[in-house]
């Protein structure tokens, strides 16, 4: 990779994830030849800083991808559905953060710590999907356990930050907290209920089964990334009044018995994981400490004696970084190093 440099486009560069993608490209010293920033008509005339320079934001259109090697998209499912094939036809590889392509059998769904080899499948459609934020951090922590002891079943509860919904949800939580402190009525635009001082067991739309689409992403994407459709998964996904960082309680049943000590050992050498587990000293992963970091933090590891071969753990990561931007840039790094 040392002598190769790439023309990169970031679609949705003005959004929370797109902006962090730019920061990751810079921090990780990605070998760029040029960086093109794309957004909607609303951003016409804006510019954003990158490596000490201001880059003009361009309005996305079908000619935006000429000469681009890798386009990283985070501009919503509709934009991805329409523009990813156009970008791929122009000869660039798309890394897409939306849910539009994740379950397409011809599109790899990649978490670099878990299934980096799957990147090779990009040639089928010219698109690689970045998984759902809650799924990414969970599989980073679960992959080493699956390899050693074969995971049979997962029972998940998530505690997800409002930044996962976008900047408007961050603003809404802030405004509601302020309104309550000042004794004014709370305004609700983004969520159907007040999010300040509340928990909403509702992320994404409801399906006829009673599950949400977010819950089913965790079921289906986990199986696809871990390349094992036999893993049984059930999830309850909850929005909580936290700005940055998703937390998850995960109950794991394995084929082979894992002790608490063995789980610690496996996770201490696992790529992308940091074990934070000293309950006697009130030390465990916290959303406010994971915020701004690229690692996945794991703690509260316990054996679950209510089932055979059960483990409980608490998994926390920055949903905008490892859950979105960092993972997408890591995929681009694999493309740059091995395939382009
Ligand atoms: P814009 O800022 O011009 O609206 P977030 O999820 O934080 O709201 O960010 C969404 C990102 O996706 C923004 O950069 C937004 O650009 C971009 N975006 C949304 N819709 C479109 C579209 N139709 N074409 C191009 N970019 C879009």
């Amino acid at each position: 990779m040392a002598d190769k440099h790439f023309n990169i486009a970031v679609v949705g560069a003005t959004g929370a994830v797109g902006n962090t993608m730019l920061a990751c490209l810079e921090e990780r010293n990605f070998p760029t030849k040029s960086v093109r920033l794309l957004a909607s008509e609303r951003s016409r005339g804006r510019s954003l800083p990158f490596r000490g320079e201001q880059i003009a934001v361009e309005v996305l259109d079908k000619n935006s991808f000429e000469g681009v090697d890798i386009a990283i998209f985070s501009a919503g499912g509709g934009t991805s559905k329409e523009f990813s094939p156009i970008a791929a036809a122009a000869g660039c590889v798309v890394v897409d953060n939306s849910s539009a392509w994740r379950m397409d059998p011809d599109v790899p769904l990649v978490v670099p710590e878990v299934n980096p080899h799957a990147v090779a499948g990009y040639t089928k459609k010219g698109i690689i999907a970045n998984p759902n934020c809650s799924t990414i951090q969970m599989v980073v922590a679960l992959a080493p356990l699956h390899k050693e002891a074969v995971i049979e079943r997962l029972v998940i509860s998530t505690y997800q930050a409002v930044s996962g919904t976008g900047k408007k949800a961050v603003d809404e939580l802030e405004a509601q907290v302020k309104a309550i402190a000042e004794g004014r009525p709370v305004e609700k635009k983004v969520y159907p209920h007040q999010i300040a001082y509340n928990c909403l067991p509702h992320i994404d739309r409801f399906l006829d089964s009673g599950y949400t689409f977010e819950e089913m992403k965790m079921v289906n994407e986990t199986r696809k990334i871990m390349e094992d459709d036999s893993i049984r998964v059930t999830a309850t996904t909850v929005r909580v009044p936290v700005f940055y960082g998703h937390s998850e309680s995960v109950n794991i049943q394995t084929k082979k018995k894992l002790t608490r000590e063995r789980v610690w050992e496996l996770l201490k050498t696992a790529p992308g994981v940091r074990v934070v587990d000293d309950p006697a000293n009130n030390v465990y992963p916290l959303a406010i400490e994971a915020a701004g970091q690229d690692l996945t933090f794991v703690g509260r590891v316990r054996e679950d004696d209510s089932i055979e071969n059960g483990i409980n753990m608490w998994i926390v990561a920055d949903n905008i970084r490892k859950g979105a931007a960092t993972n997408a840039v890591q995929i681009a790094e694999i493309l740059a190093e091995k395939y382009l």
Side-chain angles (χ1 to χ4, degrees), residues 11-19 38-44 46 57-60 74-76 78-79 82-83 163-168:
V11 183
T14 52
V17 172
N19 227 285
L38 300 160
S40 80
E41 193 57 54
R42 291 179 290 273
S43 298
R44 191 183 282 282
R46 283 190 64 185
V57 178
E58 298 170 54
V59 178
L60 173 67
S74 190
T79 305
E82 186 181 347
F83 285 93
S163 53
T165 315
K167 192 180 174 313
K168 56 196 184 307

Side-chain angles (χ1 to χ4, degrees), residues 107-160:
V107 172
L109 184 66
V110 178
V111 175
E113 292 85 347
V114 181
N115 62 338
H117 53 270
V119 166
Y122 81 89
T123 49
K124 290 186 198 147
K125 274 210 164 116
I127 304 171
I128 300 171
N130 205 40
N132 169 255
C133 43
S134 319
T135 308
I136 292 178
Q137 66 183 67
M138 185 178 73
V139 297
V140 166
L142 293 185
L145 278 52
H146 189 48
K147 202 168 164 203
E148 162 125 340
V150 186
I151 294 173
E152 292 185 325
R153 180 167 187 252
L154 299 167
V155 182
I156 309 154
S157 298
T158 69
Y159 307 70
Q160 297 183 218

Side-chain angles (χ1 to χ4, degrees), residues 32-334:
T32 55
K33 198 189 296 172
S34 68
V35 175
R36 179 173 284 181
L37 307 183
L38 300 160
S40 80
E41 193 57 54
R42 291 179 290 273
S43 298
R44 191 183 282 282
R46 283 190 64 185
S47 64
L48 294 169
F50 183 72
R51 292 197 176 127
E53 281 176 43
Q54 284 296 124
I55 302 184
V57 178
E58 298 170 54
V59 178
L60 173 67
D61 71 30
K62 58 181 186 348
N63 300 315
S64 297
F65 302 97
E66 294 308 323
V68 172
D69 301 306
I70 302 174
I72 314 179
F73 276 62
S74 190
T79 305
S80 290
K81 266 250 171 318
E82 186 181 347
F83 285 93
S84 300
I86 294 172
C92 89
V93 185
V94 172
V95 180
D96 179 39
N97 187 50
S98 80
S99 60
W101 302 99
R102 289 180 190 151
M103 295 313 296
D104 185 317
D106 291 335
V107 172
L109 184 66
V110 178
V111 175
E113 292 85 347
V114 181
N115 62 338
H117 53 270
V119 166
Y122 81 89
T123 49
K124 290 186 198 147
K125 274 210 164 116
I127 304 171
I128 300 171
N130 205 40
N132 169 255
C133 43
S134 319
T135 308
I136 292 178
Q137 66 183 67
M138 185 178 73
V139 297
V140 166
L142 293 185
L145 278 52
H146 189 48
K147 202 168 164 203
E148 162 125 340
V150 186
I151 294 173
E152 292 185 325
R153 180 167 187 252
L154 299 167
V155 182
I156 309 154
S157 298
T158 69
Y159 307 70
Q160 297 183 218
V162 294
S163 53
T165 315
K167 192 180 174 313
K168 56 196 184 307
V170 172
D171 295 343
E172 179 152 307
L173 172 57
E174 213 161 49
Q176 288 183 356
V177 168
K178 196 156 182 268
I180 292 165
E182 293 169 358
R184 288 184 285 110
V186 156
E187 264 193 72
K188 296 171 294 207
K189 286 195 206 121
V190 178
Y191 300 116
H193 304 281
Q194 177 184 318
I195 183 66
Y197 308 112
N198 207 3
C199 298
L200 310 181
H202 174 185
I203 300 183
D204 212 326
R205 63 180 197 272
F206 279 104
L207 304 171
D208 289 344
S209 61
Y211 283 90
T212 60
F213 192 50
E214 184 83 352
E215 286 158 355
M216 296 318 294
K217 286 178 211 166
M218 294 205 78
V219 174
N220 298 320
E221 294 181 23
T222 299
R223 291 177 176 157
K224 182 166 174 178
I225 301 159
M226 308 261 276
E227 297 170 349
D228 188 343
D229 282 341
S230 72
I231 305 175
R232 287 168 292 154
V233 186
T234 185
T236 303
T237 56
V238 182
R239 191 71 70 189
V240 296
V242 165
F243 287 115
Y244 296 97
H246 288 356
S247 305
E248 300 171 337
S249 160
V250 184
N251 179 260
I252 307 151
Q253 187 162 25
T254 51
K255 196 168 180 171
K256 200 182 119 188
K257 165 100 183 141
L258 282 173
T259 63
R260 190 186 191 201
E261 290 68 29
R262 185 62 188 146
V263 172
W264 278 329
E265 241 169 57
L266 289 169
L267 292 179
K268 274 180 183 155
T269 53
V273 175
R274 178 165 301 156
V275 176
V276 180
D277 203 1
D278 181 11
N281 289 305
N282 302 333
V283 172
Y284 29 74
L286 295 173
I288 56 167
E289 287 173 4
Q293 306 225 40
D294 291 322
L295 292 171
T296 295
F297 298 87
V298 185
R300 298 296 322 280
V301 175
R302 287 151 290 154
E303 287 170 35
D304 172 11
D305 295 331
S306 73
I307 51 171
E308 211 183 329
N309 302 340
I311 288 285
N312 280 310
M313 54 195 207
W314 180 247
I315 305 172
V316 182
D318 184 322
N319 52 299
I320 301 292
R321 283 196 162 250
K322 185 54 191 166
T326 310
N327 200 74
V329 171
Q330 284 176 294
I331 293 171
E333 285 171 353
I334 299 177

